[in-house]
Amino acid sequence: MTNSYSNSNNSLLDMKPVVVGVYGIPGCGKSSMLGELKNRLGEEQFSFHEGSQVIASLLPGGLAAFHQASKDEKARLRELAIKTIADDAIKDQKIAVVAGHFMFWSDKEQKYHRVCTKADLATYTHIIYLDTAADVIARRRQNDRDRERPALAAGCLDDWLKTEKRELQRLCRSSGILFVALSQAEKGTLSAKMIRLLLDFKHHCPEHNLLLAQNRLDSIIMMSGLKSTCEQPDTMLVMDADKTLAAQDTGKLFWEAMLKRGFLDACSLEGKCEDPLTTLFSSQLGYSYTAFRQATLLYEQCSDSQVFEEVCRNIASLVKMHPEMLSLLRTVERKRHISAVVVTCGLRRVWEIVLENHGLMGTVKIIGGGRISDGLVVTAEVKASLVERLRKTHGFYVWVFGDSPLDIPMLRAADKAIVVVGEQQARSRSMETHLLEAVGLGNFSPRQVLLPRTAAPHLEASKLPLVEMDSPEFLVEIFRRQYYQHSPAPERRIAHATDRSAAKLLTTATRDARVGGPSLREAHRLVGRYLATELLSDLVGTEEYEIPHVQGHHTQGHRVKNEKKTAIVPLMRGGEPMAFGISDVLPLAIFIHAKKPEDLEVRHLSGLEMVILVDSVINTGESVVKFVRYIRKLNPSIHIVVMAGVVQAKAVAAGPDGILHQMLQGEPKMEVVALRLSDNKFTGKGATDTGARLFNTTELE
């Protein structure tokens, strides 16, 4: 499911707006709830619609005329109404919240009939069902003096409600619409739940979800001080939870507990009292982002925060971690160069408590979901992306342990992959097939460990070699220091134009003793423009975006990749003129002056992908190193590019003076861009100081 407003370059015709239906049988409180939401959320980001009123606005005579229309005409008008709401949502860039009807009661036929249309199912992205008790609805209908409603007994209303909810839930599942039913509770509590859901629906999409997961990983790295360095590169163990750390499936245990508490009926599909997750993931949604989001809503609708916490604690007390896994993690606790993180598609809270019970919460961090408050869901794609990020952005050598087909993408992305094989009756039935396919694709050599040792292996040893978790050879392999080799060698991440004719022409004005002040600043600005256009764009890449063509149509333009998420930071004061030239080429980048590293703050770099440090001349490189180290404390994953007019050659060469070369070895996501490299080791002073020449302050130096 895609948030319609996440990409401003999309054509309006390609957008699917977020349209949230508020459903329930007449008398459940939809209209009053809509009014309360409108008052509390306002209409800057949301638009609120009574479905019947929108229909009435579409034809002369309003609802009275609508009621006289034929069945086919009514269906056409209903479809036109929801399409009108969706079109307005796109045009106004708002989230549409619609009070709608799924079924109506027919006095003539003495039964309820469905009025939901194909357009409804194609338009709605989310549906919140007000699961108000039938006796409450009966009283409201009886006491409502503003509307004429058929007098129906509570038993008839209850049958209507259950049928409607079951049918609507089934259709939502087959149409990819997220569905959640909220029971009528204290009025303020229900509206608070609605607001929390709407705010979540407003921005959540696969891209947002992945960003949240990456930010969570980056936060773990930053807060735990796990950044890899060239002296002591780190190894990271990435582990699935259910059926990997322990034999149990905590999701199944959760729903078994809810069944005992009598809550499972509220979450069952088609009235079946079975594990809702089994039903969900065996549907056409499979293990998609939408399916995992729907799982989160199932947890939300069946339990409040207190019940959820109680059940999670009870489940955690039942979980028995594999002794081999527990021993491995306890050893990790004693090693400074190796760390572990659990990435689970299951319940984050359960596994937090499990690790807490074993005294490992200080050692092992968890990325997972379960509730709206967790913010994210973990899919197979998310798992693989986080492993890639650990390797290529943070510089870790990554071991992955997993047991199911959902883990195969992250197993493939790892440096070392270990398939955990449990007892035959409890493990994934399709894992062998998926493993054979993955191994057959090449460039993938996983091994398997049997937990317990009596478990039958997945495949023969020639295709999936066996290892023992507690064997000395295996432990030595895990705990030896690994020197990460995924990023290019330092010398390949230095771009300069020393021998190019353009560099010779641009350099002339910067070295001419007669040029100073505004003229010299303009010369440096031209250097910045050239480096950004010619070298930076090649180094970091470009991206397309839509522009109006001079002939009247639209075409694709190009800009430096992640321009909108880039900060240009001139090292004051010598770097400012060149930084202005870079800014000319990257006009969407933010511009932050910095005289010392501490001038940069977390908020400056939050949400950014790249920071460009700019100086006119780099001699030893010590100043730049201080900035890079400080930035890494603020944002451990951001791409850093150092740009300068002149860089002293020894600073970027291997050897005792190669400070920048040494830093590049430990920084897999850092580059240096220079107009030229110079063998001349000279520090300007007074009339020869570049900063003084740029600003006509040579007499003051």
Side-chain angles (χ1 to χ4, degrees):
M1 190 169 299
T2 303
N3 185 309
S4 53
Y5 312 127
S6 59
N7 187 346
S8 60
N9 293 323
N10 283 347
S11 165
L12 290 177
L13 296 175
D14 296 331
M15 291 183 176
K16 181 171 183 180
V18 176
V19 181
V20 183
V22 180
Y23 274 72
I25 67 175
C28 70
K30 296 191 297 289
S31 296
S32 58
M33 179 56 69
L34 204 69
E36 185 171 352
L37 293 173
K38 185 176 180 179
N39 288 334
R40 295 183 63 178
L41 288 172
E43 296 182 84
E44 183 177 345
Q45 297 179 331
F46 295 87
S47 60
F48 299 90
H49 310 268
E50 281 278 3
S52 57
Q53 291 179 4
V54 177
I55 291 172
S57 69
L58 295 176
L59 74 167
L63 282 179
F66 173 78
H67 291 315
Q68 298 302 315
S70 67
K71 182 179 178 181
D72 289 344
E73 179 65 6
K74 285 179 179 178
R76 187 189 71 80
L77 289 167
R78 288 189 174 105
E79 292 201 340
L80 180 58
I82 193 64
K83 289 177 180 177
T84 299
I85 290 170
D87 289 344
D88 287 345
I90 293 174
K91 181 181 67 176
D92 300 332
Q93 294 196 10
K94 292 183 180 181
I95 310 305
V97 183
V98 186
H101 296 282
F102 185 72
M103 286 179 169
F104 278 122
W105 175 264
S106 170
D107 269 342
K108 183 178 179 181
E109 300 175 13
Q110 286 295 296
K111 66 178 183 180
Y112 30 79
H113 58 94
R114 189 197 301 174
V115 295
C116 176
T117 69
K118 290 182 179 179
D120 291 323
L121 298 176
T123 302
Y124 283 116
T125 54
H126 309 73
I127 285 180
I128 302 173
Y129 193 85
L130 299 188
D131 196 4
T132 309
D135 57 340
V136 174
I137 295 175
R139 286 197 302 271
R140 288 179 179 172
R141 290 168 67 94
Q142 186 176 0
N143 297 328
D144 191 345
R145 303 300 180 213
D146 297 326
R147 304 184 191 185
E148 288 188 15
R149 286 176 172 149
L152 297 174
C156 182
L157 290 171
D158 187 55
D159 183 68
W160 179 0
L161 187 152
K162 289 178 179 176
T163 302
E164 176 168 292
K165 185 173 67 169
R166 184 172 62 247
E167 281 294 300
L168 185 54
Q169 188 178 11
R170 181 181 61 81
L171 287 171
C172 285
R173 187 73 51 88
S174 62
S175 302
I177 302 169
L178 293 177
F179 177 92
V180 60
L182 298 181
S183 299
Q184 179 68 40
E186 186 180 336
K187 187 176 180 182
T189 303
L190 182 59
S191 61
K193 285 183 179 179
M194 294 275 285
I195 289 171
R196 188 158 57 94
L197 287 171
L198 289 174
L199 291 175
D200 176 74
F201 296 165
K202 180 172 70 72
H203 57 252
H204 219 293
C205 61
E207 295 79 13
H208 176 79
N209 183 66
L210 179 58
L211 180 61
L212 288 175
Q214 291 174 341
N215 287 345
R216 170 71 176 141
L217 178 68
D218 294 347
S219 176
I220 288 171
I221 301 300
M222 182 169 65
M223 297 301 292
S224 303
L226 300 179
K227 184 70 183 78
S228 177
T229 65
C230 61
E231 294 86 8
Q232 186 173 302
D234 288 37
T235 295
M236 181 68 78
L237 308 185
V238 178
M239 297 177 161
D240 176 48
D242 296 284
K243 299 187 180 181
T244 296
L245 291 179
Q248 290 95 336
D249 182 333
T250 59
K252 288 188 177 295
L253 292 177
F254 182 94
W255 293 109
E256 287 173 6
M258 294 307 292
L259 177 60
K260 291 177 182 177
R261 286 173 173 249
F263 285 110
L264 194 53
D265 277 339
C267 306
S268 62
L269 184 62
E270 299 177 354
K272 299 175 183 176
C273 284
E274 61 182 22
D275 174 1
L277 295 188
T278 300
T279 306
L280 171 62
F281 291 124
S282 61
S283 75
Q284 65 190 62
L285 294 178
Y287 290 92
S288 62
Y289 160 82
T290 301
F292 280 104
R293 285 280 286 163
Q294 183 61 67
T296 298
L297 294 179
L298 288 173
Y299 287 115
E300 287 289 330
Q301 77 179 39
C302 78
S303 61
D304 60 22
S305 298
Q306 182 177 344
V307 170
F308 184 80
E309 179 69 15
E310 289 174 4
V311 175
C312 286
R313 288 197 171 276
N314 291 338
I315 293 169
S317 68
L318 302 174
V319 174
K320 308 289 185 187
M321 286 185 65
H322 292 302
E324 297 88 344
M325 287 294 186
L326 190 56
S327 175
L328 177 63
L329 292 176
R330 292 206 188 285
T331 306
V332 168
E333 196 172 22
R334 300 192 298 269
K335 302 288 185 179
R336 295 188 61 183
H337 75 286
I338 188 167
S339 301
V341 61
V342 172
V343 183
T344 175
C345 297
L347 293 167
R348 175 194 61 81
R349 186 62 186 132
V350 169
W351 286 102
E352 276 187 349
I353 300 168
V354 170
L355 293 175
E356 188 179 82
N357 291 343
H358 288 87
L360 291 169
M361 271 304 289
T363 306
V364 185
K365 301 304 179 185
I366 297 181
I367 299 174
R371 302 281 287 184
I372 290 292
S373 56
D374 289 312
L376 57 89
V377 295
V378 175
T379 64
E381 293 76 17
V382 166
K383 285 186 169 188
S385 174
L386 295 183
V387 172
E388 288 280 356
R389 192 170 185 85
L390 282 167
R391 293 173 68 241
K392 296 183 178 179
T393 299
H394 294 293
F396 287 100
Y397 191 89
V398 181
W399 288 72
V400 168
F401 295 76
D403 72 283
S404 75
L406 282 172
D407 298 321
I408 287 181
M410 75 169 178
L411 288 163
R412 285 187 61 87
D415 292 292
K416 297 288 184 180
I418 305 297
V419 178
V420 176
V421 184
E423 296 284 10
Q424 202 147 10
Q425 69 273 14
R427 67 198 193 196
S428 168
R429 296 176 184 175
S430 62
M431 185 59 171
E432 286 196 11
T433 302
H434 285 89
L435 277 172
L436 276 173
E437 291 176 357
V439 171
L441 292 173
N443 197 29
F444 181 45
S445 303
R447 290 174 285 175
Q448 62 180 321
V449 59
L450 308 181
L451 298 177
R453 295 189 184 190
T454 55
H458 266 315
L459 302 171
E460 57 269 29
S462 60
K463 293 181 179 176
L464 196 64
L466 282 162
V467 295
E468 294 184 0
M469 287 277 292
D470 53 1
S471 71
E473 296 81 9
F474 185 62
L475 293 175
V476 166
E477 185 182 1
I478 289 180
F479 289 109
R480 72 186 178 199
R481 292 176 179 173
Q482 302 285 352
Y483 289 85
Y484 194 80
Q485 298 296 326
H486 293 298
S487 63
E491 56 270 18
R492 290 173 56 197
R493 287 183 281 129
I494 301 168
H496 62 95
T498 305
D499 297 322
R500 299 188 189 184
S501 297
K504 295 174 182 177
L505 293 173
L506 290 168
T507 299
T508 300
T510 66
R511 303 175 73 183
D512 191 331
R514 298 170 297 175
V515 178
S519 298
L520 185 58
R521 292 198 294 272
E522 180 59 24
H524 278 243
R525 187 167 192 151
L526 290 174
V527 169
R529 288 179 187 171
Y530 171 76
L531 293 180
T533 304
E534 185 70 17
L535 300 186
L536 179 68
S537 59
D538 279 346
L539 200 62
V540 304
T542 59
E543 60 187 13
E544 293 184 343
Y545 69 106
E546 194 172 84
I547 60 173
H549 195 277
V550 292
Q551 295 177 351
H553 60 274
H554 284 79
T555 188
Q556 294 300 310
H558 293 82
R559 61 189 174 205
V560 172
K561 190 175 181 180
N562 292 322
E563 179 184 334
K564 287 184 176 181
K565 295 184 178 182
T566 295
I568 300 170
V569 181
L571 275 58
M572 298 299 288
R573 61 185 170 164
E576 185 184 58
M578 200 171 90
F580 281 137
I582 297 168
S583 182
D584 291 339
V585 181
L586 284 75
L588 299 178
I590 64 174
F591 199 96
I592 306 169
H593 290 88
K595 191 171 184 179
K596 57 185 185 300
E598 292 74 20
D599 290 336
L600 296 174
E601 302 174 17
V602 172
R603 64 185 179 90
H604 291 146
L605 305 181
S606 178
L608 298 185
E609 294 288 337
M610 181 167 64
V611 60
I612 301 173
L613 297 175
V614 188
D615 205 354
S616 56
V617 179
I618 294 177
N619 287 308
T620 65
E622 289 180 2
S623 297
V624 169
V625 166
K626 289 178 181 177
F627 268 90
V628 172
R629 287 175 177 166
Y630 186 78
I631 288 170
R632 279 289 173 250
K633 292 180 181 178
L634 301 182
N635 189 325
S637 65
I638 200 166
H639 186 169
I640 300 174
V641 179
V642 177
M643 298 183 70
V646 181
V647 175
Q648 215 282 321
K650 287 187 177 180
V652 291
D657 295 328
I659 294 178
L660 286 181
H661 185 276
Q662 294 168 22
M663 172 149 277
L664 285 168
Q665 285 184 309
E667 284 287 345
K669 208 168 184 183
M670 174 182 167
E671 284 91 17
V672 174
V673 175
L675 184 65
R676 62 188 183 92
L677 301 183
S678 173
D679 292 321
N680 182 21
K681 193 171 183 179
F682 176 77
T683 303
K685 185 177 180 181
T688 59
D689 178 73
T690 301
R693 292 175 59 226
L694 284 166
F695 297 98
N696 285 336
T697 60
T698 54
E699 300 299 325
L700 302 177
E701 299 296 319

